[in-house]
Amino acid sequence: MDVMKVTYIAHSGFYVDTGDAGFLFDYYKGKLPDVEADKPLIVFVSHHHPDHYNPVIFRLAEKYPNVRYVVSKDVYLRPVFREYREKGIELTDRITVCRRNSGAEFQLPNGRELSITTLTSTDEGVAYLLAYGDRIIYHAGDLNRWVWKEESKAYNNNMESAYRRELEKLRGRSIDVAFVPLDPRQREEAFGGLELFLEYTDSRIIFPMHFWTKYKIIRRFCEAHPEYADRIAGIERRGQTFEV
């Protein structure tokens, strides 16, 4: 199995370099890693929230001939199509729009197949499960156990059930790299989503995300769960790269 390089960009934004392809997830700010001009680059958008989607990602089409976009259906793309058509770039042929609980497959310019399965987010849009070669990659987007102290018991119970229902689709699944929310705004409930994800899946390494620069929450999770510590990426700064 080849080594992958995973770079933390910001918030829920990551770049995964498999060696022969690059996958960019939920970019909204931060420095993009350098990508070889002829390398297939697939850009994923899980939903329209501005901390997961920035239209500047489409500028990559001006630089990279082999860029392709996989975008959740809730993202409004008509202005983007118009803007780039005026520049002489037709984006419609480069974009795959994904609905919830759907799938897509296509061949990359390097001749290898990419298979995409979506789950339904407990907030907006989708989560992505990718199969590329012998690698399985999961990016949750905003699929999480969003339980809040301020919400009613009924709301939180429904949220718990909805999250478990989606995780059931991943039960026992071997995942090489997973990107999962760990949001400190949830306070005493912050660990719940990641705890359940670890319970349902067999994930080799998990990159916490959506932690709003509050890096200490990763260490606190590992201290609370030493049994999982060797499977949690210790992100400490933007631009940090891990080999997997």
Side-chain angles (χ1 to χ4, degrees):
M1 187 178 288
D2 295 333
V3 172
M4 290 193 299
K5 293 183 178 179
V6 178
T7 301
Y8 172 64
I9 300 174
H11 196 51
S12 298
F14 291 85
Y15 176 68
V16 178
D17 186 344
T18 67
D20 62 353
F23 302 110
L24 177 64
F25 295 94
D26 279 14
Y27 174 86
Y28 93 104
K29 69 177 181 179
K31 183 181 183 301
L32 287 171
D34 292 328
V35 182
E36 297 167 33
D38 59 348
K39 178 178 287 189
L41 174 62
I42 314 300
V43 181
F44 294 86
V45 181
S46 68
H47 62 290
H48 69 274
H49 287 168
D51 61 322
H52 290 258
Y53 166 60
N54 187 333
V56 300
I57 58 174
F58 295 108
R59 294 178 188 170
L60 296 170
E62 302 175 36
K63 183 177 181 181
Y64 298 105
N66 291 323
V67 67
R68 184 162 184 167
Y69 300 88
V70 179
V71 181
S72 174
K73 190 178 184 297
D74 63 292
V75 178
Y76 185 54
L77 292 172
R78 188 171 296 175
V80 172
F81 289 150
R82 185 183 309 115
E83 175 186 349
Y84 282 85
R85 192 170 290 129
E86 291 172 356
K87 297 179 181 181
I89 299 174
E90 185 55 64
L91 286 177
T92 54
D93 298 333
R94 302 194 189 194
I95 295 178
T96 298
V97 176
C98 285
R99 299 174 180 270
R100 300 175 176 186
N101 297 319
S102 67
E105 292 185 1
F106 49 82
Q107 188 177 71
L108 303 191
N110 61 14
R112 301 187 68 180
E113 297 290 332
L114 173 65
S115 175
I116 303 166
T117 302
T118 64
L119 284 70
T120 298
S121 176
T122 45
D123 191 351
E124 295 283 351
V126 301
Y128 290 110
L129 185 69
L130 314 182
Y132 180 70
D134 57 0
R135 296 285 193 170
I136 303 297
I137 302 170
Y138 170 81
H139 190 284
D142 266 356
L143 173 54
N144 188 32
R145 178 184 175 273
W146 295 115
V147 168
W148 306 94
K149 185 177 180 180
E150 299 82 5
E151 294 290 349
S152 67
K153 183 177 180 180
Y155 173 94
N156 286 332
N157 286 343
N158 288 337
M159 174 59 64
E160 174 98 14
S161 297
Y163 187 56
R164 286 181 179 273
R165 187 163 56 246
E166 294 306 304
L167 289 184
E168 195 65 45
K169 301 170 186 177
L170 300 175
R171 180 179 288 278
R173 188 71 184 263
S174 295
I175 298 173
D176 294 294
V177 176
F179 304 98
V180 181
L182 183 62
D183 195 320
R185 298 176 304 166
Q186 290 185 272
R187 291 173 286 184
E188 64 270 20
E189 299 290 349
F191 294 173
L194 182 50
E195 288 169 343
L196 284 175
F197 186 82
L198 281 156
E199 174 187 328
Y200 274 77
T201 71
D202 177 19
S203 295
R204 182 179 169 203
I205 184 165
I206 294 174
F207 288 82
M209 64 179 189
H210 215 280
F211 49 79
W212 306 95
T213 74
K214 307 297 185 182
Y215 298 94
K216 291 181 180 179
I217 193 172
I218 301 174
R219 186 176 69 247
R220 289 198 291 111
F221 182 89
C222 291
E223 290 170 350
H225 292 288
E227 71 275 22
Y228 295 139
D230 62 343
R231 297 163 62 187
I232 305 297
I235 302 172
E236 298 176 337
R237 64 184 184 279
R238 292 182 186 176
Q240 188 174 2
T241 296
F242 301 79
E243 290 191 353
V244 181

